[in-house]
Amino acid sequence: MKTNKEYQSRFPWFSASLGIIAVISVATLFVSGQLNAGRGDFGRLVTDVFERFTSAQAADQTLQLVTLESVGERDGLVVSGFPAYASTTLPLVQDQTAEAVRLVLTGEQDVSERSTIALRLTVNGRRIMERVLAPGRREFTWVFDLTEDVVDAPDAHIALQLLGDLPADLCHNDRSMGAVIALAPDSGLEIDLARPLTSLRDALALMPRDVRIAMADGPEWFEMAARLGARLNRDGYRIEMIDIASAPEAALDASRGLILLAPPETLTRTGFAAMRERAEAGASLWQRGAGSYVALTDPERFETIRFLTSELLSIARTDQINPVVFDAAGRRADLVPVSEFGVDTTIQNVAEGREWRMDYTLAEMPDGLLPSAVYLDLRLPEGPDGFTNLAHVELNGELIDSRRLQSGESNVFSAALPAQRQALSNRLAVVLQRHRDEGGCEITQRRYPVQLSEESGLVVADGAGAAGFTALPRAFSGGVIVRIPELIGPAERLVAARITAETIAHFVPQDASIAFETAATENGESGPVDRPFIAINNAPANAAAPLRIIADRLVVDSATPGGRADVRALSNLTVLQGVAASVPDPRDPGRTVAVPGLMVHAIDEAPAIGAAALARQRVAIVHANGEVIFPDPGPVPALPASLESGRR
């Protein structure tokens, strides 16, 4: 017979086994993402403990973060309505094997008490999670291990969809699932690497959409920064110019990208180290700490910029590239296909409707021409009677075309794009709707295939109807000079470089030739010009402008309809004026002809011009990002067509 003392001295193997099983179960549920899929605070507690534990083990690794904000989704993603669907694509590391890839989704859910809602999460078409959400409002943090799911994939296409049943009495035209899922901007991928990024294409693919360009002193580096910034801005990046001496501090901010423009010796002196002992003159990777940064070390190698912002970047699989010649051929097309605007032309399975967005800018049109129409080829399947198919075309928030479509055939038509409704940057949408004539939502909706053919596109003819700012891209298509003041302070230099890049991105066609020059100024006035121009913080002597800008002073002559004005001590403004300069006619020295141009003045921390709705006006004062006023400059004579295109 065993005594009580003998029982007490035995190790509790059975209880310990149960504890181990419980820990393993919790860990399994956590890794699969099922523990905390909207189930309350316990999942977040386990997440925090797990992150603290794993971060201590992975201190010697390089962690790459790819968030919704870094790819341009600055407000995050919202899943709601009916159908409730949202998606985004996050880039992955391609040229080295990731030790772990985690998808971390944080945000807030709000589920109606009267609805039964499930959330489906897929990555590259593979179902990762589908789980019923608890009613109520709560925050969540979901973590999913994608290491095995994204092997050899160039990116991860994240898609979320709400599924569920609605009460019968909630049937109405604007149906809703009765739930809202809001993903925070810091949701995204965590990629564990054994070492920093080793290829140019990975470094640029994972670079956030907010980019700082650190440039060395000198007009040659100003030009290099402006050209690079223009290319990036045209591709959707928000740019900021900083001095190369500030690059080490900027490297500490992982939420913003960093590109270095400086000679190798300057980079070394600043604290960066080349990945190779001898870096090529084109583009190469430089390291500081655990970060890898793209550096351009020769200010005369503009072909490097063109290569890094082209589709051929995908072949830059090492830490350096040296494009000796890279000149993209100019394009002249009567139809710009919708695929160039990122439109999905594959077959889509929809229930009630589909919207295709094809935003475009005049600077990306051939020769900067104003498109005259959108050519559409919409293909619908044959189906039963009792349906009405409609297509609507919207331009910059206005309905410009609407018509019925026939089932079972290709519906080909053109919708005119009124010149007076177009701006420098345009939002064009094609909306397909399918209405049931009888039954409404009492009958279950079936999905059906539709397709916007890749043969659809923007029709470009002669660009007729352009005026004001919208006429300048065509005027600059034959070449333009960019004039910068010869003497410019350090702070003004950085702002001027950013404004120059934004101006080129929005007003100059991508294939147009650009020549930079510096000019001496006196009271803001520089020497005369003789060809199409962009003047930054100066006014050519032979160019007549309704507003005169001298440092922080704005003067309006009495000749304008608004009367006289002399306002001083201004700050944080960007002033744009479409002007014409008088030059001698080479065929008749006794006569003068007009040359088109644009004068841009950046006062203090000048706001960006990208969000301003610039269209047919000739004068604009941007006083905050997206906020602009348009003074009336009075009538001006129209320029001959030959001059508008930059030819004399």
Side-chain angles (χ1 to χ4, degrees):
M1 179 176 178
K2 295 181 180 180
T3 63
N4 291 336
K5 184 177 181 179
E6 290 176 318
Y7 276 112
Q8 293 173 358
S9 63
R10 295 185 60 187
F11 184 79
W13 292 104
F14 181 73
S15 301
S17 301
L18 290 179
I20 293 174
I21 294 174
V23 171
I24 293 175
S25 300
V26 169
T28 302
L29 289 173
F30 168 75
V31 172
S32 66
Q34 298 177 8
L35 176 66
N36 52 350
R39 292 302 181 188
D41 297 331
F42 181 64
R44 294 202 302 274
L45 173 63
V46 175
T47 299
D48 294 338
V49 174
F50 181 81
E51 287 180 346
R52 286 195 294 269
F53 175 73
T54 55
S55 62
Q57 292 183 323
D60 58 340
Q61 295 178 335
T62 297
L63 177 64
Q64 293 290 333
L65 300 177
V66 184
T67 65
L68 296 178
E69 184 176 18
S70 69
V71 298
E73 302 286 354
R74 297 181 176 92
D75 298 324
L77 285 180
V78 177
V79 190
S80 64
F82 182 82
Y85 178 85
S87 66
T88 189
T89 300
L90 304 178
L92 294 167
V93 177
Q94 299 184 67
D95 293 320
Q96 57 179 296
T97 302
E99 297 190 348
V101 179
R102 294 178 298 277
L103 175 63
V104 182
L105 302 180
T106 63
E108 186 178 45
Q109 69 179 49
D110 191 357
V111 181
S112 171
E113 299 286 346
R114 303 181 60 195
S115 301
T116 302
I117 302 297
L119 177 67
R120 175 185 296 167
L121 169 67
T122 61
V123 177
N124 292 343
R126 181 175 180 178
R127 187 175 304 180
I128 302 299
M129 181 197 74
E130 183 168 331
R131 182 157 295 275
V132 175
L133 301 178
R137 185 172 184 174
R138 67 191 67 203
E139 296 180 346
F140 61 80
T141 297
W142 303 332
V143 182
F144 306 95
D145 186 358
L146 302 182
T147 307
E148 301 298 329
D149 299 286
V150 294
V151 175
D152 297 330
D155 45 45
H157 184 71
I158 313 297
L160 298 103
Q161 184 177 7
L162 291 176
L163 310 168
D165 298 324
L166 299 177
D169 57 348
L170 290 182
C171 180
H172 49 80
N173 290 336
D174 295 326
R175 304 183 72 190
S176 173
M177 296 300 299
V180 177
I181 301 293
L183 297 182
D186 58 356
S187 299
L189 297 175
E190 293 181 351
I191 306 174
D192 290 336
L193 302 175
R195 60 188 187 279
L197 297 175
T198 58
S199 72
L200 286 166
R201 69 169 181 174
D202 280 344
L204 288 174
L206 271 64
M207 185 174 67
R209 306 297 284 185
D210 287 349
V211 180
R212 286 171 169 162
I213 299 177
M215 61 176 179
D217 293 333
E220 67 278 12
W221 293 108
F222 182 103
E223 179 178 353
M224 190 76 163
R227 289 178 180 271
L228 174 61
R231 290 270 179 163
L232 294 175
N233 193 260
R234 188 177 279 126
D235 290 342
Y237 289 86
R238 292 197 302 196
I239 59 172
E240 177 187 358
M241 303 294 181
I242 64 174
D243 190 82
I244 191 63
S246 303
E249 181 181 355
L252 300 175
D253 184 4
S255 66
R256 303 174 112 182
L258 178 63
I259 298 179
L260 309 171
L261 305 183
E265 56 272 15
T266 302
L267 294 177
T268 302
R269 188 169 57 250
T270 310
F272 293 86
M275 190 167 289
R276 294 195 197 185
E277 183 177 350
R278 178 176 175 82
E280 292 287 349
S284 55
L285 284 184
W286 288 63
Q287 292 181 327
R288 181 180 172 87
S292 299
Y293 307 97
V294 177
L296 284 70
T297 55
D298 188 340
E300 297 181 358
R301 300 291 298 274
F302 302 141
E303 59 274 5
T304 303
I305 295 176
R306 291 190 286 268
F307 175 85
L308 293 179
T309 54
S310 72
E311 295 179 352
L312 287 180
L313 173 64
S314 59
I315 67 175
R317 305 185 62 177
T318 63
D319 62 310
Q320 59 183 355
I321 197 75
N322 188 22
V324 178
V325 177
F326 193 84
D327 290 321
R331 60 191 178 110
R332 181 66 178 94
D334 295 330
L335 184 72
V336 182
V338 294
S339 58
E340 292 198 12
F341 310 110
V343 177
D344 190 348
T345 58
T346 61
I347 296 176
Q348 307 290 308
N349 292 303
V350 302
E352 295 181 340
R354 176 71 161 84
E355 178 178 341
W356 291 272
R357 290 281 302 277
M358 51 189 82
D359 299 345
Y360 67 94
T361 65
L362 298 188
E364 60 187 338
M365 293 292 104
D367 292 335
L369 295 173
L370 207 68
S372 59
V374 55
Y375 174 84
L376 299 173
D377 181 357
L378 279 167
R379 300 174 182 179
L380 278 66
E382 189 61 80
D385 296 332
F387 286 95
T388 300
N389 299 305
L390 303 174
H392 314 293
V393 181
E394 302 171 5
L395 175 64
N396 295 330
E398 295 193 22
L399 183 65
I400 60 172
D401 192 274
S402 182
R403 63 188 66 201
R404 291 179 177 238
L405 304 180
Q406 299 299 318
S407 298
E409 60 185 63
S410 177
N411 294 267
V412 180
F413 63 95
S414 293
L417 300 176
Q420 65 273 18
R421 295 286 182 264
Q422 298 188 60
L424 285 178
S425 299
N426 300 275
R427 302 171 66 89
L428 181 64
V430 178
V431 182
L432 174 66
Q433 293 181 339
R434 194 183 209 198
H435 297 277
R436 185 184 294 274
D437 298 334
E438 297 181 357
C441 55
E442 295 177 1
I443 301 177
T444 302
Q445 293 279 16
R446 299 282 184 181
R447 292 186 175 272
Y448 63 101
V450 299
Q451 184 179 18
L452 178 64
S453 169
E454 60 183 7
E455 299 175 1
S456 304
L458 296 180
V459 179
V460 179
D462 58 358
F469 291 131
T470 61
L472 289 178
R474 181 187 180 189
F476 295 152
S477 63
V480 61
I481 61 171
V482 177
R483 174 174 288 185
I484 310 297
E486 191 174 55
L487 299 177
I488 188 170
E492 181 186 358
R493 171 177 171 270
L494 298 176
V495 176
R498 172 177 60 83
I499 290 296
T500 302
E502 294 175 355
T503 302
I504 293 174
H506 289 85
F507 286 93
V508 181
Q510 184 165 313
D511 301 325
S513 62
I514 304 173
F516 279 70
E517 67 177 28
T518 59
T521 61
E522 183 176 354
N523 290 329
E525 184 176 290
S526 61
V529 292
D530 60 0
R531 49 184 170 150
F533 66 93
I534 294 174
I536 304 295
N537 288 353
N538 69 94
N542 58 337
L547 307 182
R548 288 189 292 122
I549 309 296
I550 306 173
D552 60 353
R553 176 185 175 194
L554 184 149
V555 179
V556 181
D557 295 328
S558 59
T560 64
R564 300 178 57 193
D566 188 346
V567 184
R568 309 187 184 194
L570 295 170
S571 63
N572 302 336
L573 295 177
T574 303
V575 183
L576 301 98
Q577 302 182 79
V579 298
S582 297
V583 300
D585 189 341
R587 294 165 296 187
D588 185 357
R591 297 177 60 250
T592 60
V593 294
V595 169
L598 176 67
M599 291 181 1
V600 183
H601 286 83
I603 302 177
D604 293 342
E605 296 296 328
I609 66 176
L614 305 178
R616 303 172 68 82
Q617 311 86 1
R618 289 196 305 112
V619 179
I621 301 177
V622 184
H623 56 91
N625 288 334
E627 299 183 22
V628 59
I629 59 176
F630 301 104
D632 185 357
V636 293
L639 296 176
S642 61
L643 295 177
E644 289 183 355
S645 61
R647 297 180 292 271
R648 294 194 289 108

